[in-house]
Amino acid sequence: MTNSYDRSHLNIYGAEDDFEMDAILDALDEATSSTTLDSAEPAGKDWSRLLAAPRRAASGLTRADLPNEPGVYLWSRGGVPQYVGTATSLQKRLSTHLGGGVSLAGSSLRRNVCQLLFQIPPNVTGNPNRQKVTTGQATAIRSWLLGCDVSWLRARTERDAAALEARLRHVLRPPLNRV
């Protein structure tokens, strides 16, 4: 039997309808019933922690706002998770994603937004010696990112951050993450 969900619940998880929401919740249940990698914390609880973390408007972030520590970060747009990533330094990584240059080689998020906006595949823009975007395209990519909210969880080590990101990506597969 399919449940009926409030539209806001569907949007939080990026579900299109009740059937997709059931599948997402089933994946969360499965993830919380077992652990993965070398952590004792189930992935569903990881998502709950990340979704509950304070969201900051990307347009208002400064380097000083960001911790210079390892961690996992989430980009959301309109309350819908779009991308999850890991960083050895949240400060450096998030600053890289907010860059406005025409080379997208240093940011998979910017490459994936480029594909979303302009249908240019990430493998084309990912190599610094290959196609770079125009100044107008770079501005549009940055504007799209500035319309997002960012939240993050600090991790004790880079390895913990990488394991946490792997669990988070496995559970809900945000649309701008390439799996």
Side-chain angles (χ1 to χ4, degrees):
M1 181 173 113
T2 302
N3 297 307
S4 181
Y5 299 99
D6 180 291
R7 194 79 203 147
S8 64
H9 288 111
L10 296 177
N11 289 338
I12 288 171
Y13 295 104
E16 295 292 322
D17 56 32
D18 290 342
F19 294 106
E20 193 169 317
M21 186 66 183
D22 281 339
I24 289 169
L25 292 177
D26 288 345
L28 279 172
D29 287 342
E30 183 179 322
T32 57
S33 67
S34 64
T35 58
T36 57
L37 303 172
D38 59 355
S39 172
E41 186 162 315
K45 290 185 181 180
D46 292 333
W47 263 110
S48 297
R49 285 180 38 225
L50 188 54
L51 291 172
R55 290 184 188 172
R56 305 280 303 270
S59 60
L61 283 178
T62 65
R63 283 182 68 88
D65 295 327
L66 303 167
N68 191 17
E69 304 172 45
V72 172
Y73 54 91
L74 173 69
W75 289 79
S76 299
R77 189 168 178 87
V80 179
Q82 296 294 318
Y83 183 86
V84 64
T86 188
T88 57
S89 164
L90 289 161
Q91 185 180 76
K92 290 176 186 172
R93 190 66 181 144
L94 292 172
S95 295
T96 299
H97 287 321
L98 287 170
V102 296
S103 175
L104 306 182
S107 171
S108 56
L109 173 58
R110 292 181 70 219
R111 289 191 303 273
N112 293 344
V113 171
C114 180
Q115 181 176 24
L116 174 74
L117 298 177
F118 304 109
Q119 294 74 48
I120 302 172
N123 64 329
V124 172
T125 56
N127 183 329
N129 298 323
R130 290 180 122 183
Q131 176 179 343
K132 295 175 176 46
V133 295
T134 67
T135 303
Q137 290 170 324
T139 300
I141 292 165
R142 187 165 195 273
S143 294
W144 192 93
L145 289 169
L146 290 174
C148 293
D149 293 323
V150 183
S151 54
W152 58 85
L153 295 175
R154 295 176 188 185
R156 288 177 300 153
T157 66
E158 294 172 19
R159 185 173 183 212
D160 288 347
L164 176 58
E165 181 207 21
R167 289 192 310 273
L168 291 169
R169 285 179 67 174
H170 176 75
V171 173
L172 289 181
R173 303 179 197 271
L176 291 178
N177 283 102
R178 295 174 57 91
V179 181

